[in-house]
Amino acid sequence: MSSTSSGSSGKQNDGGVGERPLGPNQDQLPHVSEEAAATAQIMGKKCGEVGGPELEQGTPVADILKRDKEALKNMPKVLRDEAAASQNGSGSKRSFSTSARLHQGEVKGNSPADPSAATVANMLAASNRGESVDVEKGIPEGFKYEPPTLPLPPNERFDRRYEPLVEQFTKLIMKHGKLSLAQKHMAKILEYLRTAPAPLIDPSKPFLPGPPSPQLPLNPILYLTLAVDSIAPLFRIRQIRGIAGGGAALPIPSPLAQRQRRREAITWILEAAEKRRDNQLSHRIANEIIAIAEGKSSVWLKRAAIHKQATVSRANIRRASQQRRGRKQ
């Protein structure tokens, strides 16, 4: 073992220092122009010839076309018209080039006679002197634009940051006063509705009319609004005692306002979503909304039961009104 190792070490010493691996900044590829020059040297081409390297920036297109006959045949129509006009002496003085550096000196800024440039110059001079400048007459000092007239008109006030239904839905999801967590759930619900496939709406269910089914995911807030308003009950059943005499209570339907109807519908959605097996709360609620649009949710049965009971007990409304009139007399 020792003789073998000594022999191998002797070979390395005899051969000199071994080759070191190159670093990341060593043995890099040459520049494009250097590579083109090397290729031209191998091919025997010179700079300026057809097939030679174009090492100079800003070579006029006309010079390139003079050297390359094939490119002259396939040149654009704009260049053809320019060349024909220049030969006739009636063309413009514009020269096409492969670089914009040759014509940078011709680009001039705004002239001092430009009113906008003069206004900006006056404002800068006044600001350097510490003076206030009125851009337009009638604007008070300290304002950039004309201040609005107070009080604001009723149609220009934005009292709500979110949609009323989204805000109401979020606050009904909220538990233990954690509004930020409820807002995260609401954002996930809308995102799920936006990315889910378009629902297959059941025509047998009274789903409110709206955009076509494939377009519902494009507007998740409208999607949610249609689902909630479709299952929202129009009435609630109140049990009132003493109308028919004795202690028996009669069911009397009473209409609901829009916010009350939506609250009842959202409560039904949350109760039905709790029975689902999805891991996340937002997914359970979103899947329940999709089931409502497709007519597969049990919430439709609750709505139909309340409306049926309201239809049956509508005769009790007359008895309640007669009793109220008797009390007033």
Side-chain angles (χ1 to χ4, degrees):
M1 295 293 292
S2 60
S3 61
T4 307
S5 60
S6 62
S8 61
S9 61
K11 290 181 181 179
Q12 290 181 358
N13 294 333
D14 294 341
V17 181
E19 296 182 359
R20 297 181 180 179
L22 298 177
N25 296 329
Q26 299 176 354
D27 195 17
Q28 295 182 351
L29 293 176
H31 193 266
V32 177
S33 58
E34 297 177 0
E35 184 179 1
T39 305
Q41 185 177 3
I42 295 173
M43 301 296 294
K45 302 288 185 179
K46 296 182 180 180
C47 180
E49 295 182 358
V50 179
E54 294 290 342
L55 302 181
E56 298 179 0
Q57 293 186 357
T59 304
V61 178
D63 297 346
I64 298 176
L65 295 176
K66 288 179 181 178
R67 300 194 303 262
D68 194 350
K69 301 298 181 181
E70 186 176 357
L72 186 61
K73 297 178 182 179
N74 300 327
M75 63 186 298
K77 188 176 183 301
V78 178
L79 297 180
R80 292 181 185 176
D81 298 342
E82 184 70 20
S86 60
Q87 292 178 1
N88 298 333
S90 60
S92 61
K93 297 182 179 180
R94 177 183 176 185
S95 60
F96 295 91
S97 175
T98 58
S99 176
R101 295 183 180 180
L102 297 178
H103 304 284
Q104 283 184 354
E106 301 177 3
V107 180
K108 298 181 180 180
N110 295 331
S111 60
D114 190 359
S116 60
T119 304
V120 173
N122 294 335
M123 292 176 62
L124 292 176
S127 62
N128 293 333
R129 294 193 301 268
E131 300 176 359
S132 61
V133 181
D134 291 337
V135 181
E136 296 181 3
K137 295 182 179 180
I139 299 179
E141 184 178 357
F143 288 88
K144 186 176 181 180
Y145 304 102
E146 185 177 356
T149 56
L150 298 177
L152 294 176
N155 56 351
E156 293 186 3
R157 297 180 182 177
F158 296 95
D159 297 334
R160 298 183 181 273
R161 182 177 181 183
Y162 305 102
E163 290 288 334
L165 176 61
V166 175
E167 185 177 3
Q168 185 179 5
F169 207 118
T170 304
K171 292 184 178 179
L172 289 176
I173 296 175
M174 180 179 61
K175 293 182 179 180
H176 309 293
K178 298 180 180 179
L179 181 59
S180 60
L181 182 60
Q183 290 175 346
K184 290 181 181 179
H185 287 315
M186 194 68 225
K188 291 181 180 179
I189 291 171
L190 296 177
E191 180 68 18
Y192 193 92
L193 293 177
R194 188 183 65 83
T195 56
L200 301 176
I201 298 178
D202 187 3
S204 63
K205 302 296 181 181
F207 195 79
L208 291 179
S213 175
Q215 298 181 8
L216 282 178
L218 301 178
N219 192 348
I221 296 180
L222 179 61
Y223 192 173
L224 177 66
T225 304
L226 291 177
V228 172
D229 289 344
S230 297
I231 63 168
L234 300 176
F235 310 96
R236 68 174 177 178
I237 307 301
R238 300 171 57 190
Q239 303 291 338
I240 301 179
R241 297 179 180 273
I243 295 180
L250 290 180
I252 296 179
S254 60
L256 297 176
Q258 184 185 36
R259 189 173 180 84
Q260 294 174 329
R261 297 175 60 241
R262 288 179 172 178
R263 179 184 178 85
E264 194 71 21
I266 294 171
T267 305
W268 290 348
I269 292 175
L270 296 180
E271 291 176 357
E274 290 296 331
K275 301 177 183 179
R276 291 186 170 270
R277 297 182 179 180
D278 298 279
N279 295 329
Q280 299 184 14
L281 174 64
S282 57
H283 291 179
R284 293 197 296 268
I285 297 176
N287 287 328
E288 186 64 27
I289 293 172
I290 295 174
I292 290 172
E294 294 180 349
K296 301 177 182 179
S297 177
S298 60
V299 179
W300 289 107
L301 301 178
K302 292 184 178 181
R303 181 181 184 274
I306 287 184
H307 284 190
K308 183 177 180 180
Q309 187 178 2
T311 304
V312 172
S313 59
R314 61 185 177 182
N316 299 332
I317 299 177
R318 181 176 298 179
R319 293 185 180 181
S321 61
Q322 290 177 356
Q323 186 180 13
R324 291 174 184 174
R325 291 175 185 174
R327 289 179 180 178
K328 290 181 180 180
Q329 293 177 357

